[in-house]
């Protein structure tokens, strides 16, 4: 595999780089800002956060500290499920932009289709935010195909992405097929299964074959599926290891072997998840 890739080596889906830095649970302000700046200096151009992560200020500090033009960074955040009434969506997005230190959020997600989520109340606020230039793109997270179709019926703006848990132990075949049929981008959170896939013997054998890490194999598999991955990492070593996955090309046999892993292990399953989750 190729080592030391650059920002230009990261494939894109439109304007969205297919590898980003996840920041869930990165709540120490100094550490969070440093990890974001480190990732951007290394070549990452996609940073994912959320109001509920309580770190948008620190993410913004990291973006500002990096020697990377703002227009080169794809910034994504999320409106929490309790803030999905019309006025609350507007206020939440404006405050997120302020905390992040950006004029426009590149992609704003609905974090969960629960709590205060009502399509006719919530989605027009996202259209308004696009019209005002507060956000560029509308996204959803943890939505089922039926919920996506309902959202599209209400939205005037294009629906850009659905962010869901996905990794070799949760292959999301139905969602991937639906996304491919309906021109929707999939973004994978917890792409390493919160660490569960790192001890997998099948993945380890493929990693040894390519002189790569198991994390790199999992991320490369997602890329082969056309899915953007946003692994979280805080140390420079892990940030770099994940980034070097863009230089790993799996062959068809590798992909088929991973597809055949007979295990389903969802890591994120709150009480408010959709019934058909």
């Amino acid at each position: 595999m190729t080592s030391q890739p650059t920002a230009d080596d990261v494939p894109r889906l439109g304007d969205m780089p297919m590898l980003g830095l996840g920041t869930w649970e990165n709540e120490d302000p100094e550490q969070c800002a440093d990890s974001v700046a480190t990732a951007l200096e290394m070549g990452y151009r996609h940073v994912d956060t959320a109001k509920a992560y309580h770190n948008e200020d620190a993410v913004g500090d990291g973006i500002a500290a990096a020697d990377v033009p703002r227009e080169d960074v794809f910034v994504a955040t999320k409106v929490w499920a309790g803030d999905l009434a019309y006025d609350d969506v507007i206020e939440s997005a404006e405050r997120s932009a302020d905390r992040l230190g950006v004029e426009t959020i590149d992609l704003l997600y609905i974090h969960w289709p629960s709590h205060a989520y009502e399509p006719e109340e919530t989605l027009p606020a996202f259209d308004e935010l696009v019209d005002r230039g507060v956000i560029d793109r509308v996204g959803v997270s943890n939505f089922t195909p039926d919920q996506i179709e309902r959202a599209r019926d209400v939205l005037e703006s294009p629906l850009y992405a659905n962010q869901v848990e996905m990794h070799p132990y949760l292959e999301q075949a139905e969602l991937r097929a639906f996304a491919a049929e309906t021109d929707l981008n999939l973004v994978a959170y917890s792409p390493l299964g919160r660490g569960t896939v790192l001890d997998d013997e099948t993945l380890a054998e493929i990693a040894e074959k390519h002189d790569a890490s198991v994390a790199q194999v999992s991320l490369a598999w997602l890329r082969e599926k056309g899915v953007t991955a946003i692994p979280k990492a805080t140390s420079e070593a892990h940030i770099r290891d994940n980034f070097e996955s863009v230089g790993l090309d799996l062959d068809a046999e590798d992909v088929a072997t991973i597809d055949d892993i007979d295990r389903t292990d969802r890591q994120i399953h709150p009480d408010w998840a959709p019934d058909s989750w």
Side-chain angles (χ1 to χ4, degrees):
M1 68 180 270
T2 303
S3 61
Q4 302 301 321
T6 69
D8 291 338
D9 296 317
V10 181
R12 289 174 173 257
L13 294 172
D15 293 329
M16 179 172 65
M18 290 186 70
L19 181 68
L21 179 72
T23 61
W24 182 37
E25 296 181 330
N26 193 352
E27 295 184 11
D28 178 87
E30 184 175 351
Q31 175 183 268
C32 183
D34 184 63
S35 64
V36 170
T38 296
L40 292 175
E41 296 281 1
M42 194 177 292
Y44 285 76
R45 293 295 182 266
H46 179 175
V47 181
D48 182 272
T49 183
K51 177 190 175 182
Y53 299 171
H54 306 294
N55 63 9
E56 288 175 321
D57 284 307
V59 169
D61 289 343
I63 293 170
D67 187 21
V68 177
R70 162 65 187 102
E71 59 268 22
D72 291 348
V73 184
F74 190 92
V75 180
T77 190
K78 308 172 192 74
V79 179
W80 179 241
D83 297 327
L84 294 175
Y86 185 96
D87 289 341
D88 293 338
V89 171
I90 302 295
E91 181 180 5
S92 179
E94 289 176 341
R95 290 188 175 183
S96 287
D98 184 60
R99 286 190 291 265
L100 289 163
V102 301
E103 290 186 5
T104 302
I105 297 166
D106 296 287
L107 174 59
L108 184 68
Y109 295 98
I110 295 170
H111 207 147
W112 285 91
S114 61
H115 295 63
Y117 178 64
E118 294 289 344
E120 291 77 6
E121 173 81 5
T122 302
L123 297 166
F126 277 75
D127 284 326
E128 175 67 17
L129 289 166
V130 172
D131 290 343
R132 292 188 192 179
V134 178
I135 69 174
D136 272 344
R137 301 166 187 83
V138 179
V140 296
S141 185
N142 304 298
F143 273 49
T144 65
D146 286 347
Q147 289 169 328
I148 290 166
E149 289 180 340
R150 179 67 186 123
R152 278 181 159 150
D153 287 342
V154 177
L155 275 169
E156 295 180 2
S157 306
L159 187 56
Y160 186 79
N162 185 21
Q163 186 178 128
V164 298
E165 179 184 347
M166 183 177 170
H167 45 76
Y169 291 168
L170 189 65
E171 296 188 4
Q172 297 285 22
E174 179 185 1
L175 277 179
R176 283 191 286 109
F178 175 80
E181 292 168 0
T182 59
D183 194 27
L184 181 70
N185 296 313
L186 274 187
V187 178
Y189 69 75
S190 298
L192 307 180
R194 305 205 76 189
T196 59
V197 306
L198 299 181
D199 295 324
D200 188 88
E201 293 182 1
T202 298
L203 296 176
E205 290 175 1
I206 295 172
E208 184 177 4
K209 168 184 170 181
H210 291 281
D211 191 23
S213 69
V214 171
Q216 290 167 0
V217 170
S218 184
L219 297 174
W221 173 79
L222 285 162
R223 190 176 67 249
E224 290 289 340
K225 296 296 184 183
V227 174
T228 296
I230 49 167
K232 67 176 183 178
T234 55
S235 72
E236 181 176 356
H238 286 154
I239 292 169
R240 184 174 300 281
D241 186 69
N242 292 340
F243 189 64
E244 290 179 352
S245 69
V246 303
L248 172 59
D249 293 319
L250 300 179
D251 58 38
E253 181 181 0
D254 298 329
V255 174
T257 299
I258 297 170
D259 290 349
D260 287 341
I261 292 176
D262 187 20
R263 178 173 173 179
T264 300
D265 190 356
R266 184 184 292 279
Q267 295 296 307
I268 310 299
H269 189 56
D271 293 341
W272 58 79
D275 291 339
S276 58
W277 193 234

